[in-house]
Amino acid sequence: MPYPEFFVAPMREELRDLGIRELRTAADVDAAISNTPGTLMIVVNSVCGCAAGKARPGLALALRHLARPDAMASVFAGFDLEATDRAREHFRGYPSSSPSIALLRNGELVYMMQRSDIESRDAVTIAQKLTEAFDAHCAMMPGA
């Protein structure tokens, strides 16, 4: 059973405030993956403590970096079930994990940070790992 909207609304807003678009349906996920040239980051958001204390703060720090994904989106595990399942279909070779952060380049998975990579690190280290992935797979932002 999905969590009530009032419960997850602040967690959704935290990512929206970072410029991350929500994907609420499988069709939204398909469109984002099909229509994004370059690198698409998909965040599997979660209500767990490591999402709140580590993943989202680490992501916020990483997004200050000059190299960033061309597009950013999120699905919410435990709430947007259809969208989350569809996104995870593109994370082949990795078990379902939330929170998690994936980079897809032209629709192909090129980087995956799973819950096991998140729960054992602090936000600063997560940001460092993400910026390394951004440097490897993303373009510099215009004007940088």
Side-chain angles (χ1 to χ4, degrees):
M1 181 170 165
Y3 298 103
E5 180 61 33
F6 74 87
F7 188 74
V8 298
M11 296 169 227
R12 289 183 186 280
E13 185 174 340
E14 196 171 345
L15 292 185
R16 280 195 311 266
D17 288 348
L18 295 173
I20 298 172
R21 180 173 52 110
E22 290 181 283
L23 306 176
R24 305 288 302 260
T25 68
D28 290 345
V29 173
D30 291 341
I33 291 172
S34 297
N35 299 327
T36 301
T39 306
L40 169 66
M41 178 178 68
I42 299 180
V43 178
V44 179
N45 203 354
S46 174
V47 298
C48 72
C50 64
K54 298 177 179 197
R56 290 191 301 267
L59 181 57
L61 289 171
L63 290 176
R64 297 178 183 171
H65 193 59
L66 295 178
R68 294 179 45 186
D70 296 297
M72 302 180 296
S74 69
V75 296
F76 209 113
F79 196 85
D80 298 326
L81 306 177
E82 176 187 306
T84 302
D85 288 345
R86 183 60 56 91
R88 286 176 171 158
E89 288 176 15
H90 294 276
F91 307 158
R92 287 189 179 90
Y94 292 92
S96 295
S97 172
S98 57
S100 60
I101 302 168
L103 294 177
L104 294 98
R105 182 120 183 109
N106 298 318
E108 297 297 320
L109 183 67
V110 295
Y111 177 81
M112 188 71 184
M113 178 180 279
Q114 296 185 274
R115 179 187 178 105
S116 60
D117 301 316
I118 293 167
E119 63 190 356
S120 63
R121 294 184 167 106
D122 62 19
V124 172
T125 306
I126 290 166
Q128 178 185 11
K129 295 294 183 186
L130 287 173
T131 58
E132 290 169 5
F134 293 171
D135 284 342
H137 303 289
C138 303
M140 297 293 275
M141 294 308 292

